Structure formats: C-alpha cells, structure tokens
Amino acid sequence: GTVKESGEKHKGSVEIPNLSEENEVDDTEINVSKKKGEGDVLKDLMRTEGTTKVREALRDYLKALKTEFTLGMILPTKATVGQEPAPEQKPSGNTMQDCVLPQALDIVGVKIPTVKILMREIFSSPADELYSIFTTKELVQKFSKCPAVIEAEKGGKLVMFDGCVSGEYAELVPSQRIVLKWRCRTWPDEHYATVALNFKDMAAQTELQLECTGVPVSNEDSTRQCWKKQYFEEIHTLLQCSKDSME
C-alpha cells in the first residue's frame, strides 16, 4: 500500500491459515504482517477495515468454488481416472444418432465447463468419396456454399462458413479418420474443441462417427445443430445432386 500523505510505498502480506468450507468465513483467521520500516498505519488499517474486505473476498471465493464444482469445472480426482466409458448406442436405419455426455473440464483452450457430443450418420457414398468431401476445397465449398480455406494436411488451416468455423487439421488417415482442432467464432477466445471423424466403410454406404470433445456447455445445442444442418444435411444434398447428374 501507499501512505497518502508521504507517497511512500510499503509491502506486507496477508496469511489465511485455516480457510475451509467447514469454517465460517467470519471465524477465519487472518494474519497481517509487513516488512521492516515505517508504514504501521497501513498494517493497522489492514488489521481492521482490511480484514473485513478480505473476508468479503473469501466469501465470494468460496461461493465461486462451489459453483464451479457443480458445473464440472473442477478437475476429476484420481479415483475417476481410468474408468470405463459408457457403451455407445448402435444406430438404427439411416437416421442420425446423437447424444451429449456431461464431463469434467477438457483442457482445451480456456477453462470453461464443457460437454462431449457423439453423433452418427449414414451416407450413401463409399468412404473414400466422403473423406474427400471433408478434405477437398472445391467440395467443401460446394456443400457449405461459401468460400473456404482447406489445407488438408497435419497442421493445415480450416476456415468455413464465412469464418464462423475455423481450426486446423490435427490428424488425417485417408478414407478412415480425420481429427480437427475446431471452434465456432462465438466461442470464448482461443477455446477449441477436438473433433474426430471416423469413416466406417459399408460397401456402397459409409457410417460417419463424430466425437466432439471440449464443446462449451452453453453452445451444446448450437454445435450439434451446426453439424446436423450445415454439414450432414448439406453433404446429403451434394451427394444426391451428384447422383442425379450421373443418371
């Protein structure tokens, strides 16, 4: 702190040895100390009015911790690490299967509560053709109906839907798997989800399995709708148009 009259600055510290949710904040012990020299007026002020301010901050801090815990923002304990994931549901027919699994914070970008989105879709196309639709600039621009940046190589950039979606390619296995670092423009700055696209060849058809981890809880529905409406349905339309033109 700074003594107003003289303008001299003095350093000290506040120690809180017994902070716990088991104790009332008003009963929390607060020790004030300062380095040698003048400035006792600051030390006395911290012991009186300063202590009240510190307790107010502690009260807000404990409340925030409890809120964050209920939202899944606290990292899982060792006991939860290594548990077997819940079995995935098998798709039926040609309808999209999707579900959202709440989970602890994914360490991707900033620390916010996130969910995992799982989706499946059957396309009337062999796996290599469907894979090309996600990795070829001309085809991406056809189904997205927008200019796009598609650098289909590890570390290559991805920009779609007039910049509403961006990211980069993290892994590419031709006709089998694509992993993307992926985000929507409305998400918190620098926060990315990880999108894994697995292509399961079924003769003339392909089952696309999507796993999107690190999706902000508040953007759960909009992200699922983005993949359903702007990706899957538009790709179905593109494939149908290609089929009609061949016939």
Side-chain angles (χ1 to χ4, degrees):
T2 303
V3 179
K4 186 175 181 181
E5 290 76 7
S6 64
E8 293 180 352
K9 294 183 178 181
H10 300 275
K11 292 184 177 181
S13 62
V14 175
E15 181 184 11
I16 306 166
N18 66 334
L19 178 62
S20 170
E21 64 178 355
E22 297 176 358
N23 299 330
E24 294 294 332
V25 172
D26 291 336
D27 296 331
T28 301
E29 183 180 351
I30 298 175
N31 300 327
V32 179
S33 61
K34 73 172 188 65
K35 293 186 176 182
K36 292 182 179 181
E38 300 296 327
D40 286 335
V41 62
L42 294 178
K43 183 177 180 181
D44 293 339
L45 184 63
M46 281 301 299
R47 284 177 170 172
T48 54
E49 296 182 26
T51 296
T52 300
K53 294 292 186 181
V54 169
R55 287 198 172 114
E56 289 176 0
L58 291 177
R59 193 173 285 109
D60 292 340
Y61 175 64
L62 290 174
K63 182 180 179 180
L65 281 181
K66 292 177 182 179
T67 301
E68 290 175 355
F69 184 83
T70 60
L71 288 175
M73 291 179 70
I74 303 300
L75 294 177
T77 62
K78 291 182 179 179
T80 64
V81 176
Q83 291 181 351
E84 291 294 325
E88 296 181 359
Q89 294 184 350
K90 296 293 184 181
S92 58
N94 193 38
T95 58
M96 179 183 64
Q97 304 293 315
D98 63 272
C99 62
V100 180
L101 304 177
Q103 62 179 26
L105 169 70
D106 290 286
I107 308 302
V108 182
V110 297
K111 293 184 177 181
I112 59 175
T114 64
V115 294
K116 177 193 293 183
I117 294 177
L118 301 178
M119 301 175 71
R120 297 185 181 187
E121 187 80 359
I122 304 296
F123 292 92
S124 299
S125 166
D128 58 346
E129 181 179 348
L130 186 60
Y131 177 91
S132 294
I133 290 176
F134 283 93
T135 55
T136 304
K137 179 178 179 179
E138 291 74 20
L139 295 177
V140 170
Q141 291 181 155
K142 278 188 177 181
F143 82 76
S144 66
K145 299 179 177 65
C146 293
V149 176
I150 302 295
E151 300 173 353
E153 60 183 16
K154 187 173 182 179
K157 300 302 179 184
L158 166 79
V159 181
M160 297 176 61
F161 307 115
D162 289 328
C164 290
V165 166
S166 61
E168 66 179 50
Y169 290 89
E171 179 185 346
L172 297 104
V173 181
S175 305
Q176 297 181 36
R177 178 175 170 85
I178 299 173
V179 179
L180 302 169
K181 182 181 174 184
W182 189 93
R183 64 173 269 108
C184 289
R185 184 163 54 194
T186 55
W187 289 7
D189 291 345
E190 301 304 317
H191 181 84
Y192 287 84
T194 299
V195 175
L197 301 170
N198 290 295
F199 301 82
K200 302 298 181 182
D201 203 339
M202 303 163 57
Q205 293 184 321
T206 300
E207 178 186 270
L208 179 62
Q209 300 176 352
L210 178 146
E211 179 180 294
C212 189
T213 59
V215 177
V217 168
S218 59
N219 299 102
E220 165 190 318
D221 290 335
S222 61
T223 300
R224 188 168 352 105
Q225 286 302 311
C226 174
W227 281 97
K228 179 180 178 181
K229 300 291 186 181
Q230 295 180 256
Y231 281 89
F232 295 169
E233 291 185 5
E234 293 298 335
I235 291 173
H236 277 303
T237 300
L238 175 62
L239 291 171
Q240 185 60 47
C241 290
S242 298
K243 181 180 179 181
D244 292 343
S245 63
M246 290 178 65
E247 292 178 350

